[in-house]
Amino acid sequence: MSRTGEFSTTLGWEESTRNRLAAAMDRFSGPLADLVERDANDGDTRMLVTDFLSYGLNFSKYEELTTEYRTSGDSIDYALRLDGKLFAPIEVKRVGQSLDARNLQPSRRLALDEGAEWLILTNGRAWQVYHLRPDPDGGSPETVRILDVDLTAEGEEAHNRSVDALFHITHEAIEHGRLDDLRKWREAVEPAPLAEVLQSGPVVRAIRHELRRITGHSGHIGDDEEILRTLAEEVIGRRVATS
């Protein structure tokens, strides 16, 4: 990425995508600040969002973005269509309005009707991306937030974090499966999957190796079982009980 060079070793498409996104964020920072200062209305906010979707995230205004999308009596601000299918409804709120997942109900109904998995909620300043996680028992999908970015956060680190997060909803990243990879990562770092990983063979062996290094203990039969029992009963079990 041009501002820090942090991503200079990444794949060519990824580097160019991040550079374009970073440049777009810089380009729109002034107009966005103006919208925030004058508490702009919905229409002005949508104009900025449309331009950012086009110039920053690289979606075609004329082929992939549909405005005032209607179905089953619901109307949403935008529909993002990829390969001729609905990818994500986009709900846009006034720049001064706080985002609330309850605002997603029309988008959620539309996504469920048309088989889409993703929802986007924004006020131009904050961008949130949600995934409709299927219920393993066949019930209603859970709406899970995957991304939450504030473009008005100040500082170089905040800027880099915003680029890194929003990168996942660029046209290129979606095509390369990066958004779905991020979704899988978010699911993997939830308590239950993490607990399973902590009790896996490679992790237990790594803990045994480190404990032996620290203590000088040469090892005895049952080391792994002792570590696993402590993890399950005292570390993971206690954490679950107190959470």
Side-chain angles (χ1 to χ4, degrees):
M1 189 169 64
S2 60
R3 292 170 66 100
T4 65
E6 182 179 354
F7 305 112
S8 59
T9 61
T10 56
L11 298 173
W13 71 267
E14 182 175 342
E15 183 178 2
S16 62
T17 299
R18 290 180 184 273
N19 286 339
R20 186 198 63 240
L21 178 56
M25 288 171 54
D26 288 340
R27 173 182 176 181
F28 287 102
S29 62
L32 177 58
D34 177 65
L35 292 183
V36 172
E37 183 177 359
R38 61 186 174 88
D39 194 18
N41 59 31
D42 293 46
D44 289 347
T45 302
R46 289 175 188 171
M47 289 176 62
L48 182 137
V49 167
T50 301
D51 285 342
F52 189 75
L53 285 165
S54 177
Y55 296 110
L57 304 182
N58 201 30
F59 296 110
S60 170
K61 292 182 184 180
Y62 310 106
E63 297 179 2
E64 296 170 330
L65 295 175
T66 302
T67 61
E68 296 298 332
Y69 195 87
R70 293 179 179 273
T71 182
S72 303
D74 288 317
S75 175
I76 60 169
D77 297 304
Y78 295 94
L80 176 58
R81 299 180 63 85
L82 299 179
D83 298 323
K85 299 178 181 179
L86 178 68
F87 179 79
I90 304 174
E91 190 70 28
V92 181
K93 297 301 178 183
R94 177 175 53 81
V95 70
Q97 181 176 343
S98 298
L99 299 184
D100 189 324
R102 289 174 294 185
N103 298 140
L104 287 169
Q105 289 309 312
S107 293
R108 177 184 163 89
R109 286 192 293 267
L110 172 61
L112 291 175
D113 286 346
E114 301 203 12
E117 296 183 20
W118 297 95
L119 311 171
I120 299 175
L121 177 63
T122 183
N123 56 13
R125 171 175 50 84
W127 290 74
Q128 296 179 351
V129 180
Y130 293 81
H131 179 251
L132 294 178
R133 181 183 297 176
D135 186 306
D137 298 322
S140 179
E142 180 184 2
T143 305
V144 181
R145 189 166 63 193
I146 303 298
L147 285 176
D148 190 356
V149 179
D150 184 355
L151 294 183
T152 60
E154 298 181 353
E156 190 75 16
E157 181 179 356
H159 182 278
N160 291 339
R161 286 183 178 275
S162 294
V163 171
D164 190 57
L166 285 178
F167 162 78
H168 294 88
I169 57 170
T170 61
H171 197 296
E172 296 91 338
I174 290 172
E175 282 187 332
H176 284 83
R178 294 296 185 86
L179 179 59
D180 202 49
D181 289 346
L182 178 64
R183 185 267 305 169
K184 294 174 185 176
W185 169 263
R186 293 281 190 257
E187 293 178 1
V189 296
E190 292 178 355
L194 269 183
E196 185 175 344
V197 170
L198 285 174
Q199 298 174 85
S200 67
V203 173
V204 170
R205 288 192 291 273
I207 293 174
R208 179 193 65 202
H209 176 78
E210 180 63 11
L211 291 178
R212 286 179 178 178
R213 185 191 68 80
I214 293 172
T215 63
H217 174 55
S218 60
H220 69 281
I221 296 174
D223 277 356
D224 287 6
E225 290 79 7
E226 186 175 0
I227 292 169
L228 186 59
R229 183 174 61 254
T230 302
L231 282 173
E233 297 178 2
E234 300 296 328
V235 179
I236 297 171
R238 181 173 297 177
R239 174 62 181 169
V240 171
T242 58
S243 62

